Amino acid sequence: MVNVETALKEATTTIEGAIGAALVDYSSGMALGTVGGGKELDLTVAAAGNTDVVRAKVRTMEMLGLKDEIEDILITLGGQYHLIRLMKGRNSTGFFLYLALDKQRANLAMARHQLKKIEAELEI
C-alpha cells in the first residue's frame, strides 16, 4: 500500500503524457493531494470543477435507476484528456483520482490501466 503523495507521483512519472494528478474528496470538492499542473492547469480548481461532473453523473444514474458503478469518466479536449477514476473499496468511497494528460503524448488505454493499478495500491 502506498500513501497519497507517492501514488500521485507515480501517476505523473509512470504514465506517459501526464500533466498533473490529484486525489479529490467529492463530498467537499477538496483536493487531498496534487502533483504537477502548473500555470496552465490549476489542479485545485480542476478538483472542484470535476467534483461537479462526478456529482452530476452520480445523480443522473440514480434518477435513471441504474444500479451500476462508474469506473471512470473521460473528458476529451482539443489537446488534453482529463480522466476521472472513482475509487472503490474500503475507506476510499467518496474519492476520485483525477489525471490530466497531453493528448499528443498519452496512450489513453495504458493510462487507464496504470491509474487502475495505482488506485488498487493507494491507501487513504
Side-chain angles (χ1 to χ4, degrees):
M1 292 300 212
V2 298
N3 66 24
V4 173
E5 183 180 346
T6 302
L8 295 177
K9 282 182 182 175
E10 182 180 346
T12 56
T13 57
T14 64
I15 298 175
E16 185 68 29
I19 298 169
L23 175 67
V24 184
D25 174 350
Y26 70 82
S27 62
S28 68
M30 182 181 296
L32 303 178
T34 62
V35 172
K39 236 171 36 173
E40 65 278 348
L41 180 63
D42 184 331
L43 290 169
T44 304
V45 173
N50 285 306
T51 295
D52 292 337
V53 172
V54 170
R55 288 179 186 159
K57 188 58 186 174
V58 168
R59 212 172 29 253
T60 301
M61 288 181 64
E62 288 171 357
M63 291 186 321
L64 292 170
L66 298 175
K67 302 295 182 207
D68 211 343
E69 293 180 339
I70 299 170
E71 190 170 322
D72 55 38
I73 298 169
L74 172 64
I75 300 167
T76 305
L77 305 177
Q80 296 177 355
Y81 293 123
H82 291 220
L83 188 57
I84 300 167
R85 179 164 184 87
L86 275 70
M87 297 187 63
K88 297 167 188 63
R90 61 180 178 81
N91 301 329
S92 63
T93 303
F95 299 97
F96 67 86
L97 286 166
Y98 168 72
L99 179 66
L101 300 158
D102 180 309
K103 199 172 176 181
Q104 297 299 314
R105 298 179 326 155
N107 177 323
L108 186 55
M110 285 303 296
R112 289 182 70 225
H113 176 74
Q114 288 175 277
L115 198 58
K116 182 178 182 178
K117 181 179 166 251
I118 290 167
E119 175 205 356
E121 297 170 352
L122 178 59
E123 183 177 300
I124 299 176

